Amino acid sequence: MSNIIGITMGDPCGVGPEITVRAFAEMSASDQAATRIYGNLATLEAARQALGLDIDLAPHVADLPVEGAPLPWGTLSPVAGDAAFRFIETAVRDAEAGRIGCIVTAPINKEALNLAGHHYDGHTGMLRSLTGALAAYMLLASERLKVIHVSTHVSLQEAIRRATTERVLATIRAGNAHLKRIGYERPRIAVAGINPHCGENGLFGTEDDDQIAPAVAAARAEGIEVQGPVSADTVFHRAYSGAFDLVVAQYHDQGHIPIKLVAFDTAVNVSVDLPIDRTSVDHGTAFDIAGKGIANHGNMNAAIAYARKLVAGKGGKG
C-alpha cells in the first residue's frame, strides 16, 4: 500500500480549501512529502492568502480546472459541486491504482453536488458508486465514543424500513472487522434499539424484537462480542463511560447527535467496507465563514491522523 494520503479539498466555495491548506502547512516535511492534495490550485492559493501563510503548495497539488476559479466564497454553485465531484473521482481512481493509500475528504455541499447532476446523498454513497462496492457504512470515531450507522442520509421513515435483520447484521460485522483492523483484539459492540425502550415488549413497536434482536443473535453465533438491542437513551452514555467500544446506531441522528455532543471538533468520519480507505471531517462546508481564515481545522487534523494510521497498518485504540 502507498504511504501517501490524498486530501480532496471539497467544495471550492466552502471552508475545505482553508482547512486543507492550514493542516498541510502544519505538517512535518516528511508528512508533506507523503500528501497529495486533489483540488484546484488557484482556489488553494486564495485560501492560502486568506490564511496569511507562506507555503509552496504547487508541488503537492493534483491541479484540476474549475471554470472561473477562484469562485466567490460562501456561494452555492453547480460549478463548485461538479468540481468537488471531480476531485473525489480522481482521488478514487488513484487509490484504486495504488498511487495513494487513503483518501481524506474535506466537506462537500450536497445541494451543489446535485445541482451539478451528481445525484448522491453524500460522500459515502458517491464512493460506493465510484468503487462499485456493494455496501459502505459510515463510522464516526472519537477517542471515547465510536458509532457505526445502519443507515444515514434517508428519511426517518425509510431508515426504519432499512433496519432489517440482514442489514443490521452486516453493519455489526463491518464495525467488528474495522475495529479489529485498528487494534481491538475483541471489540465490544452494542446495538442501539430503534424504538423507545427497545419497544417495551411490543408496546412501542415490534421492530426491535422482530428485526434487531435476531441480527444480534446471529452475530453472537459468529463469535462477535455484541449485545442488544440496548435502549438508545442509555447505550451511548454507557459506551462513552467505557462499557462498549462501538455502538451500532440505527439511523443518522441517533448516532450523530451523541458524537457531535462529545467530540464536535475531533470526530472522524470513516467509510467502512469500501475497497479503498477513506476518512473525512465530520462537518459541513460552513459557507457563512468561508474565505475568512477562521475555520477550525482540528477535525481535518484528526481525519489525517486516522488516515495515516490506516496507511501505516498500525493499531492503537483511539
Side-chain angles (χ1 to χ4, degrees):
M1 175 187 287
S2 171
N3 71 336
I4 297 174
I5 65 163
I7 303 175
T8 59
M9 78 172 203
D11 190 297
C13 299
V15 297
E18 292 167 70
I19 61 173
T20 298
V21 170
R22 195 184 287 278
F24 182 81
E26 291 182 357
M27 292 179 189
S28 66
S30 59
D31 279 349
Q32 287 181 349
T35 301
R36 182 176 301 148
I37 301 172
Y38 292 81
N40 173 257
L41 185 57
T43 303
L44 290 162
E45 285 292 341
R48 182 189 62 76
Q49 292 172 15
L51 293 166
L53 295 173
D54 182 16
I55 185 169
D56 186 10
L57 296 170
H60 306 277
V61 176
D63 185 21
L64 297 169
V66 176
E67 184 179 354
L71 300 172
W73 298 114
T75 58
L76 181 69
S77 164
V79 173
D82 180 65
F85 173 81
R86 289 186 289 110
F87 303 155
I88 296 161
E89 182 181 40
T90 305
V92 166
R93 300 305 172 222
D94 277 0
E96 290 176 326
R99 288 187 283 270
I100 59 175
C102 185
I103 299 172
V104 179
T105 56
I108 59 174
N109 184 282
K110 298 177 185 66
E111 187 176 354
L113 186 72
N114 279 268
L115 285 173
H118 304 293
H119 300 298
Y120 301 102
D121 62 356
H123 273 114
T124 307
M126 185 196 310
L127 292 165
R128 186 175 62 243
S129 175
L130 286 171
T131 61
L134 296 177
Y137 303 90
M138 181 188 293
L139 187 149
L140 301 181
S142 68
E143 184 177 353
R144 290 178 58 180
L145 183 63
K146 293 179 177 60
V147 180
I148 191 169
H149 299 71
V150 175
S151 66
T152 49
H153 297 125
V154 295
S155 70
L156 184 54
Q157 186 177 51
E158 173 65 10
I160 294 169
R161 190 189 69 78
R162 291 192 185 192
T164 62
T165 299
E166 294 76 19
R167 192 178 181 95
V168 173
L169 176 57
T171 309
I172 296 169
R173 289 169 174 160
N176 183 65
H178 182 78
L179 259 64
K180 283 188 171 182
R181 180 180 173 191
I182 63 170
Y184 290 77
E185 184 176 343
R186 187 169 172 78
R188 300 165 301 154
I189 301 172
V191 179
I194 199 164
N195 293 308
H197 304 179
C198 299
E200 201 80 79
N201 295 318
L203 187 62
F204 308 138
T206 62
E207 290 86 358
D208 293 279
D209 293 334
D210 296 344
Q211 297 164 214
I212 298 172
V216 174
R220 289 179 67 85
E222 295 176 5
I224 298 173
E225 188 171 328
V226 58
Q227 298 181 31
V230 182
S231 184
D233 62 359
T234 61
V235 70
F236 296 99
H237 173 73
R238 291 173 63 187
Y240 185 74
S241 300
F244 305 111
D245 302 313
L246 178 69
V247 178
V248 175
Q250 299 300 329
Y251 53 92
H252 181 282
D253 284 11
Q254 187 184 67
H256 277 60
I257 290 171
I259 278 280
K260 292 197 173 185
L261 179 65
V262 302
F264 188 82
D265 291 325
T266 57
V268 177
N269 183 327
V270 186
S271 294
V272 176
D273 249 19
L274 289 173
I276 61 173
D277 283 329
R278 173 256 179 175
T279 68
S280 179
V281 298
D282 186 33
H283 61 75
T285 48
F287 281 164
D288 57 323
I289 62 169
K292 297 180 180 179
I294 59 174
N296 187 327
H297 65 300
N299 208 249
M300 174 59 83
N301 283 340
I304 290 169
Y306 203 105
R308 296 217 189 274
K309 182 163 63 174
L310 291 175
V311 166
K314 294 179 180 177
K317 300 178 183 180

